[in-house]
Amino acid sequence: MTSRVFTKLLGLFVVLLVFYTVVMEFVFRSMVEQSAGGTLRLLGREALWSGLIALAVALPVAAWVAGGISARIDRVVAFARRIADGDLSARLTLTGKDELSAMEAALNQTVERLGQNFAEIESRRQELAAMLDSMQEAVVAITPEGLVRWSNAVMQRIAGTQIRPGRPLVHSVRDPEVLACVRGALERDPGHSSEHTQVRFGRASSLAPGRIFEINAAPLPSGGVLVVLHDVTAIEAAEKSRRDFIANVSHELRTPLTSIQGYVETLVEDPHPRPDTTREFLGIILKNATRMNRLTEDLLALAGVESPDYRLALQPTRASALVQDAIDALGGIVVDSEVELESAGAPDSIVMADPDAMNQVFGNLIENALKYAKAGRRIRVGARLLDAEVEFSVQDFGPGIASEHLGRIFERFYRIDKARSRESGGTGLGLAIVKHIVMAHGGRIWAESELGKGAAFHFTLPLAPGVQPPLAPRL
């Protein structure tokens, strides 16, 4: 394109020379016609005037052409500056079909392509940011100088407003394990390339109260470190629960097994035991075997209700029928205990419930109340209607439960009075089973108690879909 412009300017110069030649030819011809024997002085004067006339014509023409080209170049320079400042919406106005116009069109196409590329890059950046923010792990990028380059939303929630780009990591995160992993990942071994730099692993327990994180700090090819924090609090809690469960089961089984082993060894070592002693020992062995059998059954029941595959056979059932069925089915177990099982009334509202599972719930709650109700001589079972659910209750009038135990009595193997519970044959799993069954129904369960006045266990079941609560007074 430059050669073409040069050719064009050269052609313009040639045109000017031709014009000058034509003017000179005209002047000399007139001179010859007027005076064939004119003097040299007159010839010089005429030549000077003709040169001045040609120059007077050529200068404006050249100035006009140069001014147009200069203005267009100035527009190109201003356009380039706008692009350098980040204004990709700038465009050059095409004023003709010459070579400069072709250059302007090419520049417009280049800027349009740049705009498309930057828009695609920004879109991908936003997608990456959204993906990082949607992760469950906390992610933060660190520069080689130890400054925060960027962080995702999870990391910002953990560290709060203290972590922001450009701020030193040590001012935002005080956990020593995190800082140690970052320092280790930033260190470069002079004898190895960056590909051989090892990823640093660690475990942070002071980054957030009550939470534990696994640390993964990996060096970045461009310098700096990418830190990923994986929250393993739930995994740690599950592992601790598993260890505690195994320890509790082992303890619960060891006690009856030790008793059975001791009495069996006594009978084996005595070649002629007395019949009454043998009968007594066999009774103790049977009691402990029965306890082990109950523990095994409760463990299987608890494993069933805690399983993700646990399914209920829900069906519309009257609340009053659930209460009455529980009293009729469990009335026999209180006959010999001199405790009265009575109804506190229940509405006829329809709830969604599994009748077999509800029998298990009422059975565990009434059996639990029976252990402490002998002082009060009665157990009361009832229900009342709430806005969108029915609240059931099993109340005894025994010694009650201290407030410090109310928040933990639904835990596995938790006992208020361990000696009394084992003596009565309890396994410590009944209330945990009840809790899981009620929650599987979509209900809630809790306990209320006042020392010396007994305890009450309450749970709720949702009303059946489409059933409107009556406006009658609640029981």
Side-chain angles (χ1 to χ4, degrees):
M1 185 185 71
T2 304
S3 61
R4 295 178 63 184
V5 172
F6 176 79
T7 303
K8 203 166 188 179
L9 292 176
L10 181 60
L12 180 61
F13 181 74
V14 171
V15 169
L16 292 176
L17 289 179
V18 171
F19 177 76
Y20 178 78
T21 302
V22 170
V23 171
M24 291 296 295
E25 175 68 20
F26 177 78
V27 171
F28 276 109
R29 181 176 295 179
S30 62
M31 289 172 58
V32 171
E33 290 176 354
Q34 293 177 4
S35 172
T39 65
L40 183 61
R41 184 178 180 181
L42 179 61
L43 180 63
R45 188 184 305 114
E46 292 296 335
L48 176 62
W49 277 106
S50 64
L52 291 176
I53 293 172
L55 184 62
V57 174
L59 284 177
V61 173
W64 176 76
V65 174
I69 295 176
S70 177
R72 294 175 70 179
I73 292 177
D74 288 340
R75 286 198 300 270
V76 173
V77 172
F79 165 80
R81 288 175 177 170
R82 290 179 62 185
I83 298 302
D85 293 336
D87 183 10
L88 297 180
S89 63
R91 294 292 185 274
L92 288 169
T93 302
L94 303 181
T95 56
K97 296 183 179 180
D98 55 2
E99 288 75 12
L100 287 178
S101 297
M103 180 187 69
E104 292 169 350
L107 289 175
N108 284 340
Q109 293 177 358
T110 302
V111 173
E112 185 175 358
R113 180 68 59 84
L114 282 176
Q116 294 174 355
N117 292 341
F118 279 122
E120 184 177 356
I121 292 173
E122 178 64 18
S123 175
R124 291 182 179 180
R125 189 193 67 81
Q126 292 178 357
E127 290 177 0
L128 178 61
M131 180 183 68
L132 291 172
D133 288 339
S134 65
M135 292 175 59
Q136 296 181 354
E137 290 80 9
V139 184
V140 58
I142 310 299
T143 65
E145 294 77 22
L147 305 179
V148 176
R149 182 176 296 168
W150 55 262
S151 60
N152 68 345
V154 179
M155 187 66 193
Q156 293 168 11
R157 287 196 298 268
I158 294 173
T161 57
Q162 297 180 353
I163 188 165
R164 57 179 180 268
R167 183 184 177 94
L169 181 66
V170 294
H171 294 171
S172 306
V173 176
R174 302 301 176 90
D175 187 273
E177 288 293 328
V178 175
L179 299 178
C181 289
V182 171
R183 284 195 299 269
L186 284 174
E187 293 176 355
R188 301 281 182 174
D189 188 351
H192 296 84
S193 62
S194 59
E195 289 80 3
H196 293 86
T197 305
Q198 293 184 352
V199 178
R200 304 292 175 169
F201 300 95
R203 198 175 190 83
S205 57
S206 60
L207 186 61
R211 300 174 69 180
I212 302 174
F213 297 89
E214 285 186 349
I215 309 168
N216 186 315
L220 294 172
S222 58
V225 178
L226 182 68
V227 182
V228 179
L229 302 175
H230 180 59
D231 191 347
V232 295
T233 307
I235 298 176
E236 287 291 322
E239 183 64 21
K240 183 179 183 301
S241 177
R242 184 187 67 83
R243 290 194 300 266
D244 293 343
F245 180 74
I246 293 175
N248 286 326
V249 170
S250 301
H251 178 74
E252 293 295 331
L253 290 175
R254 184 171 60 247
T255 301
L257 281 174
T258 302
S259 177
I260 292 173
Q261 182 180 4
Y263 284 104
V264 169
E265 288 177 352
T266 301
L267 291 175
V268 170
E269 292 174 357
D270 188 356
H272 302 290
R274 292 186 302 173
D276 55 342
T277 302
T278 302
R279 186 176 296 106
E280 179 185 357
F281 285 6
L282 290 176
I284 296 174
I285 292 173
L286 177 61
K287 180 180 178 181
N288 283 279
T290 302
R291 180 183 169 192
M292 291 178 60
N293 183 61
R294 289 197 59 185
L295 177 61
T296 304
E297 291 178 351
D298 284 350
L299 285 172
L300 291 174
L302 182 62
V305 298
E306 288 184 340
S307 171
D309 298 328
Y310 180 64
R311 296 292 183 269
L312 295 169
L314 296 177
Q315 61 186 51
T317 308
R318 293 187 181 275
S320 56
L322 290 176
V323 172
Q324 191 58 48
D325 289 346
I327 294 176
D328 294 341
L330 301 169
I333 67 174
V334 300
V335 172
D336 299 331
S337 61
E338 299 180 354
V339 174
E340 181 182 358
L341 184 61
E342 62 182 26
S343 173
D348 288 332
S349 303
I350 307 297
V351 296
M352 296 301 297
D354 183 334
D356 294 335
M358 282 297 102
N359 284 337
Q360 188 175 6
V361 169
F362 279 111
N364 285 346
L365 291 178
I366 292 174
E367 184 178 352
N368 184 75
L370 185 61
K371 300 172 186 176
Y372 305 96
K374 293 183 179 179
R377 300 288 182 178
R378 61 194 175 106
I379 299 173
R380 180 179 295 172
V381 182
R384 64 184 184 126
L385 178 63
L386 301 180
D387 291 336
E389 57 190 4
V390 174
E391 178 188 321
F392 297 84
S393 62
V394 176
Q395 182 181 8
D396 67 70
F397 298 90
I401 303 173
S403 59
E404 63 266 22
H405 299 297
L406 292 176
R408 300 191 59 191
I409 56 177
F410 294 101
E411 296 178 8
R412 294 176 294 188
F413 297 109
Y414 188 82
R415 292 186 177 92
I416 300 172
D417 186 347
K418 296 183 179 180
R420 182 174 182 181
S421 179
R422 288 196 180 97
E423 181 66 23
S424 61
T427 63
L429 297 174
L431 292 180
I433 295 172
V434 168
K435 174 185 175 181
H436 284 284
I437 293 177
V438 171
M439 292 177 62
H441 279 79
R444 301 171 290 117
I445 186 167
W446 68 97
E448 297 174 351
S449 180
E450 184 178 351
L451 289 177
K453 295 185 178 181
F457 288 82
H458 305 269
F459 67 92
T460 62
L461 294 179
L463 291 172
V467 176
Q468 297 295 328
L471 299 179
R474 300 172 184 169
L475 298 176

